[in-house]
Amino acid sequence: MKPAPFAYLRPSTLEEALAALAGEQGAKVLAGGQSLVPLLSMRLAAPSMLVDINALPDLGFVRSDEAGVRVGALARHAEVLASAEAAEAQPLLAMALSHVAHPTIRNRGTTVGSLVHADAAAEMPMVLRLLEGSVDVASVRGRRTIPAAELFAGPLESTLAHDEVAVEAFFPALAPGAGVAFQEIARRHGDYALVGVAAVVDTDGDEVTRARLGFVSVSDVPVVVDVTDALDDPAAKALTELEPADDIHATAAYRAHLVKVLVPKVLAAATDHARQRKAS
């Protein structure tokens, strides 16, 4: 299929882009296009205008400091994955990004675009939610910050207004004494995960003082479950808050089984990671 007809604008300033979005209710933002373009081709999306932000200056950054990692709207997955400073500040980024699609997709797709696409089968929305990060958005009305807990409204639906552009994402740094891990199961590496699980654990000596899990491809939105009080059977606790469903890729029962398999492995790996960081 071919996309439905649409107008196309490639602004050279953020102000021009915001004005175009404010004036066109049916406009969509185009950055990497790795999610949007297939939807256009299948006519699952039919915007009246595409506002291509790839010519906007100063939005392709990946900046790291002791607070965390800031990723601009035009930073490609591959650029975030290649940043040693980002991996040092928040190792979960590189762990998860290495599972995002294939190199060709990572070279073009943007991390911020993946976040606002709000696909619960994608890795980065879950990572932002688990790390309690945020996204900064801009419009003609000004700029605001949306916490990850308030970003995902439903399947493929974020809480951005139609005239807002996501300009930056913030991933908090990994705290001292904490560890992270990520694993997913897919039919082939780079395919969407049948189930993916990430963990963040805080430790005090050999004791786990807090444990949180994030899930990919299990519910309609990215879900985070605190299992600190259920470390004897964390998968059972997680499944009380998840909603596995049947689809063409896997049954709900199989997804629940994969949760039971992955959760203890990922928690153990995150705990080992915390210990390794303390020893180094």
Side-chain angles (χ1 to χ4, degrees):
M1 294 182 68
K2 300 295 184 182
F6 57 83
Y8 174 82
L9 178 68
R10 187 178 172 92
S12 58
T13 67
L14 179 59
E15 291 73 20
E16 184 183 354
L18 298 180
L21 290 170
E24 185 67 39
Q25 177 77 28
K28 287 281 189 183
V29 174
L30 174 66
Q34 300 306 291
S35 297
L36 178 58
V37 170
L39 294 178
L40 295 176
S41 296
M42 292 183 285
R43 299 204 175 191
L44 296 175
S48 57
M49 174 186 287
L50 285 188
V51 179
D52 183 347
I53 65 170
N54 280 281
L56 301 189
D58 305 322
L59 289 180
F61 59 84
V62 182
R63 299 172 184 152
S64 305
D65 57 29
E66 62 182 11
V69 181
R70 295 188 179 276
V71 178
L74 293 177
R76 313 298 165 172
H77 291 310
E79 294 169 331
V80 183
L81 180 58
S83 172
E85 293 82 6
E88 177 68 22
Q90 181 44 260
L92 187 57
L93 281 175
M95 292 178 185
L97 279 166
S98 66
H99 291 271
V100 172
H102 306 279
T104 301
I105 301 297
R106 294 198 294 268
N107 286 341
R108 188 64 192 168
T110 63
T111 298
V112 172
S114 177
L115 296 175
V116 297
H117 186 58
D119 189 347
E123 291 83 0
M124 299 318 295
M126 177 276 296
V127 169
L128 189 80
R129 180 76 175 81
L130 179 61
L131 296 177
E132 300 176 323
S134 60
V135 170
D136 281 9
V137 302
S139 71
V140 293
R141 299 181 303 282
R143 185 160 169 157
R144 67 184 179 115
T145 298
I146 306 176
E150 301 173 11
L151 181 61
F152 307 109
L156 302 179
E157 182 183 4
S158 77
T159 56
L160 270 71
H162 78 90
D163 61 345
E164 290 181 317
V165 174
V167 294
E168 177 181 309
F170 173 64
F171 299 88
L174 189 59
V180 291
F182 178 82
Q183 292 186 32
E184 68 176 38
I185 293 177
R187 294 185 183 278
R188 297 171 300 180
H189 182 78
D191 286 359
Y192 279 115
L194 300 176
V195 170
V197 182
V200 177
V201 301
D202 297 321
T203 62
D204 183 2
D206 290 332
E207 181 183 0
V208 174
T209 57
R210 189 186 187 204
R212 299 168 69 247
L213 300 167
F215 295 88
V216 175
S217 288
V218 181
S219 297
D220 287 339
V221 296
V223 175
V224 172
V225 181
D226 191 318
V227 295
T228 305
D229 297 329
L231 292 176
D232 56 331
D233 194 352
K237 170 63 181 299
L239 285 168
T240 65
E241 300 188 31
L242 297 171
E243 298 177 357
D246 296 324
D247 61 22
I248 62 173
H249 304 293
T251 65
Y254 185 56
R255 284 196 164 92
H257 169 71
L258 292 181
V259 168
K260 294 175 184 177
V261 170
L262 289 177
V263 162
K265 290 182 177 182
V266 173
L267 280 173
T271 303
D272 286 344
H273 182 238
R275 290 170 180 156
Q276 291 167 10
R277 293 181 71 221
K278 288 180 180 178
S280 62

